[in-house]
Amino acid sequence: MKRKWWHGKVAYQIYPKSFQDTNGDGIGDLRGVIDHLDYLKSLGIDIIWLSPIYQSPFVDQGYDISDYYKIDEIFGTMEEFDELLAEAKKRDMYIIMDLVINHCSDQHEWFQKALKDPEGKYGDYFYFRKGKDGNPPSNYRSYFGGSAWEKVEGTDYYYLHMFAKEQPDLNWNNPEVLNELYTMINWWLDKGVAGFRIDAIINIKKDLSFPDYEPDGPDGMTGIFHMVEGVDGVGELLEDLKHTFEKYDAFTVAEVFNMKKDELEEFIGDDGHFSTMFDFSAHEMTFGDHGWYDAKKVRFDDLKKEIFHAQKECEDVGFLANIIENHDEPRGASRYLPDYLQNEDGIKLLGTISVMLRGIPFIYQGQELGMENIPFKSIDEVDDISTLDEYKVALDAGLTPEAALKAVARRSRDNARTPMQWTGEENAGFTAGTPWLRVNSNYTAINVEKETIDPNSVLNFYKKLIALRKDPEYKETVVYGALEPFMEDRHNLMAYYRKGDKTLLVVGNYQWDEQEITLPSECKKVLINNYPDMVLDGNSVKLHGYQVLVVELA
Ligand code: TEU
Ligand code: CA
């Protein structure tokens, strides 16, 4: 594997709207990000991914961009963005932007022009097709529910939107569109952004015959992902993009779902289209067959199997970006730990398992504090477009309103979007005004201020984990060492080696009962421990409930 500048880095995702408000409008802003760069630096963060800050009507929280060259005024100004870049640079930190190019906003000038003349130049920037006998061109259900085709009033035309109807898909077969996108990408790279997180990229490849698929729900439609799975050749579309990134030695992390088995090398190999891509294997395990309401509970042994499988697949190919949560997922602490044990030890165990994997760790804002899901009191508290749709899906499936709320609350994207918890003061120190989304009431116990001074806090534990990745003595092993499972079949035990110039063993006891294991060789040094002690007798270790260790072996 070719060595790259980002291999040893640790990344952090900021959801700007919920990070820090500085002008009292209840919405996080760029000034708030600048103000906390030192906090992130002290945590050990190198790369910051900003969820979209471009001009947007916010139908899907900024993932609907109406001008790729403007900072939305709710976040601040371009001058402030430049200041952020400069301040990050001073601290040896890198900023990456969210690149949302499968679709734009229906308020984008391209789409406004297209609507006026679907057969004209701008009509070809999108996918306008005529309906079939008064029906949409095909039976696709969009990711956010309802038909993926929206009728243009007063014409026979429909346009394609894989997400909300306010997010029309861009036509990647039109060279003019690609030119517009490449120009824009170059413009941001010239400005000094270090790269991009690339949104929903697998969806850019369409089957232009737009075939119908077997309906998979009571609405008679079929999830549009069936079209994605049924078409090959996304890689061809990505070639030029790759050269653009190469020119700048940019770091890119792709959001890829529904990848074909043989595409891994093409995506993240030495000459791959992206630097890395997220490992969503844990997240994917909780997908329901019909919606969030029939989402599956994850058994820890299965989770472990998935993680090891993903690591194995990429061991000779490249690096995955490892996550526990992001802005589309519930909080890991609430999701991957059983209810009765969502405590600090469990949270530290999850964090260790993830951060010590081979790959690039991405920490989502608040994860380092052990932030948890928010108990929604009513569906009226929900902002997220996807949650509102899934609520409807659950009701349509016959769930009572109470049951439907409970089901979608577990999985809601808003769980991760509640304001960052900075202090124990009102609104967790996030805003002096009214927060756009309710602050989780646990903020008096879980916040940066409190955790900074508590040596045993989740925050200080994360600092140690990240510091270990960067420790000159262990860096080579943690970054490049092979990952090998240890005692893979032991129930409720997650254990793996990292083997480089040193041999490390990561062991986590995912249960309340003690568990005894025998180390394969002598323990030279304990590097990470979420308990004050380690019960060692010869080479045998008695692990406490939810104990996690990283040890150096002889
Ligand atoms: O998500 C794309 C995605 O593929 C979805 O699976 C998404 O996770 C799901 O709909 C959640 O309910 C990306 C962004 O991360 C997401 O926030 C955006 O809403 C979406 O693209 C559209 O841009
Ligand atoms: Ca603000």
Side-chain angles (χ1 to χ4, degrees):
M1 252 179 68
K2 279 188 228 156
R3 297 220 163 178
K4 299 285 193 181
W5 66 262
W6 55 77
H7 280 161
K9 303 291 188 229
V10 177
Y12 188 92
Q13 180 188 356
I14 289 185
Y15 198 68
K17 208 169 167 181
S18 302
F19 193 59
Q20 176 74 69
D21 174 28
T22 60
N23 64 350
D25 64 359
I27 297 171
D29 40 51
L30 286 177
R31 178 64 53 205
V33 177
I34 297 170
D35 286 354
H36 287 300
L37 284 176
D38 285 330
Y39 165 72
L40 296 175
K41 185 73 191 172
S42 74
L43 181 57
I45 301 304
D46 308 291
I47 298 174
I48 297 171
W49 152 29
L50 297 175
S51 270
I53 52 172
Y54 313 87
Q55 181 181 294
S56 167
F58 290 91
V59 169
D60 184 22
Q61 293 304 353
Y63 285 90
D64 46 324
I65 297 171
S66 55
D67 190 334
Y68 287 97
Y69 292 93
K70 288 213 173 94
I71 302 289
D72 196 279
E73 59 185 20
I74 68 166
F75 295 125
T77 61
M78 193 58 83
E79 287 67 42
E80 281 168 309
F81 180 75
D82 290 337
E83 188 183 330
L84 171 61
L85 284 179
E87 289 299 319
K89 196 164 180 196
K90 265 192 215 160
R91 293 166 174 83
D92 280 325
M93 293 163 97
Y94 305 84
I95 303 287
I96 67 170
M97 298 280 275
D98 214 309
L99 190 60
V100 189
I101 47 180
N102 172 69
H103 47 269
C104 60
S105 161
D106 65 341
Q107 300 307 308
H108 195 289
E109 100 172 269
W110 299 333
F111 191 72
Q112 287 299 313
K113 288 181 178 161
L115 270 187
K116 288 196 190 102
D117 182 13
E119 287 172 6
K121 166 180 153 99
Y122 287 97
D124 198 33
Y125 272 43
F126 301 90
Y127 297 101
F128 285 89
R129 294 290 184 276
K130 289 200 168 149
K132 280 191 308 206
D133 322 314
N135 291 314
S138 66
N139 66 345
Y140 306 152
R141 182 190 313 107
S142 77
Y143 289 116
F144 293 152
S147 174
W149 294 100
E150 183 72 10
K151 186 114 206 278
V152 185
E153 276 314 313
T155 74
D156 302 337
Y157 284 104
Y158 291 77
Y159 67 85
L160 181 72
H161 61 90
M162 298 183 76
F163 293 90
K165 67 176 191 321
E166 295 86 354
Q167 293 168 299
D169 280 54
L170 286 162
N171 181 2
W172 273 70
N173 304 291
N174 179 348
E176 282 180 54
V177 171
L178 300 185
N179 253 331
E180 299 265 21
L181 295 178
Y182 299 154
T183 306
M184 178 271 291
I185 290 167
N186 278 283
W187 187 83
W188 284 102
L189 289 167
D190 283 335
K191 229 180 194 318
V193 307
F196 298 97
R197 174 267 186 184
I198 307 178
D199 187 68
I201 195 67
I202 205 84
N203 296 292
I204 61 173
K205 178 74 190 185
K206 318 298 196 232
D207 181 338
L208 294 175
S209 66
F210 297 117
D212 280 332
Y213 285 89
E214 199 55 40
D216 62 7
D219 55 7
M221 290 188 264
T222 187
I224 195 159
F225 64 89
H226 287 124
M227 190 257 298
V228 174
E229 284 172 354
V231 66
D232 286 321
V234 65
E236 292 149 33
L237 294 180
L238 293 167
E239 266 308 303
D240 290 339
L241 201 55
K242 178 172 98 182
H243 298 310
T244 307
F245 296 143
E246 269 168 4
K247 217 169 57 197
Y248 292 85
D249 202 14
F251 169 73
T252 58
V253 50
E255 186 200 30
V256 176
F257 287 100
N258 308 95
M259 188 189 73
K260 317 255 162 20
K261 273 241 159 304
D262 55 354
E263 281 172 339
L264 192 67
E265 173 86 43
E266 189 182 338
F267 283 8
I268 59 165
D270 268 346
D271 293 309
H273 297 304
F274 315 112
S275 313
T276 181
M277 62 189 240
F278 293 111
D279 178 13
F280 288 124
S281 47
H283 175 56
E284 283 172 350
M285 288 176 74
T286 66
F287 286 0
D289 290 330
H290 304 99
W292 293 356
Y293 72 87
D294 64 353
K296 300 170 195 83
K297 275 233 168 218
V298 188
R299 286 179 57 243
F300 183 73
D301 289 349
D302 296 331
L303 181 73
K304 166 170 89 175
K305 227 189 271 162
E306 285 302 313
I307 295 175
F308 283 155
H309 178 73
Q311 288 276 318
K312 179 94 202 142
E313 295 263 278
C314 74
E315 67 182 357
D316 299 320
V317 179
F319 272 25
L320 289 173
N322 299 307
I323 59 163
I324 293 178
E325 61 208 41
N326 66 25
H327 68 295
D328 291 334
E329 302 188 22
R331 290 290 181 175
S334 306
R335 184 188 212 182
Y336 299 121
L337 295 169
D339 298 343
Y340 62 93
L341 253 175
Q342 292 175 2
N343 62 21
E344 290 191 4
D345 288 323
I347 292 168
K348 290 171 185 171
L349 180 141
L350 274 181
T352 308
I353 285 173
S354 177
V355 171
M356 290 304 291
L357 290 171
R358 185 173 163 280
I360 299 167
F362 269 73
I363 292 161
Y364 178 72
Q365 70 181 42
Q367 176 189 327
E368 77 278 22
L369 307 176
M371 276 180 68
E372 294 167 353
N373 281 357
I374 184 159
F376 289 104
K377 297 188 187 108
S378 127
I379 193 69
D380 302 331
E381 280 185 344
V382 171
D383 168 274
D384 169 38
I385 184 169
S386 187
T387 310
L388 294 172
D389 166 57
E390 292 286 346
Y391 180 70
K392 223 181 117 261
V393 170
L395 290 180
D396 290 347
L399 273 73
T400 63
E402 296 73 39
L405 179 66
K406 217 174 142 201
V408 302
R410 258 200 306 272
R411 181 62 185 71
S412 176
R413 306 200 297 180
D414 279 350
N415 283 309
R417 300 176 182 185
T418 64
M420 176 74 174
Q421 295 165 202
W422 295 104
T423 71
E425 278 144 49
E426 212 186 339
N427 292 322
F430 164 70
T431 179
T434 308
W436 73 277
L437 195 64
R438 185 160 68 87
V439 175
N440 196 318
S441 52
N442 64 16
Y443 72 90
T444 47
I446 302 175
N447 66 63
V448 172
E449 189 181 54
K450 187 161 174 267
E451 294 192 33
T452 303
I453 50 180
D454 172 3
N456 294 318
S457 66
V458 174
L459 176 60
N460 281 315
F461 188 83
Y462 262 92
K463 280 189 192 165
K464 278 182 217 148
L465 276 175
I466 295 171
L468 175 60
R469 285 194 72 95
K470 300 187 166 184
D471 184 329
E473 230 186 302
Y474 298 102
K475 195 178 160 118
E476 178 66 24
T477 304
V478 181
V479 175
Y480 291 106
L483 184 142
E484 251 175 58
F486 173 70
M487 295 180 77
E488 200 173 348
D489 296 325
R490 170 75 79 90
H491 175 55
N492 278 351
L493 181 82
M494 173 79 169
Y496 56 83
Y497 293 102
R498 297 301 315 277
K499 289 185 178 172
D501 54 357
K502 307 251 191 277
T503 301
L504 306 182
L505 188 69
V506 180
V507 277
N509 176 19
Y510 186 86
Q511 63 184 22
W512 191 233
D513 294 330
E514 287 183 347
Q515 221 178 138
E516 202 163 326
I517 59 160
T518 305
L519 298 177
S521 59
E522 197 193 318
C523 170
K524 256 175 90 176
K525 201 169 173 188
V526 182
L527 302 170
I528 295 286
N529 186 357
N530 63 345
Y531 268 76
D533 68 325
M534 169 176 171
V535 185
L536 187 66
D537 180 6
N539 279 353
S540 137
V541 186
K542 203 181 273 169
L543 294 164
H544 301 297
Y546 280 70
Q547 184 165 26
V548 69
L549 298 167
V550 181
V551 297
E552 183 185 352
L553 297 177

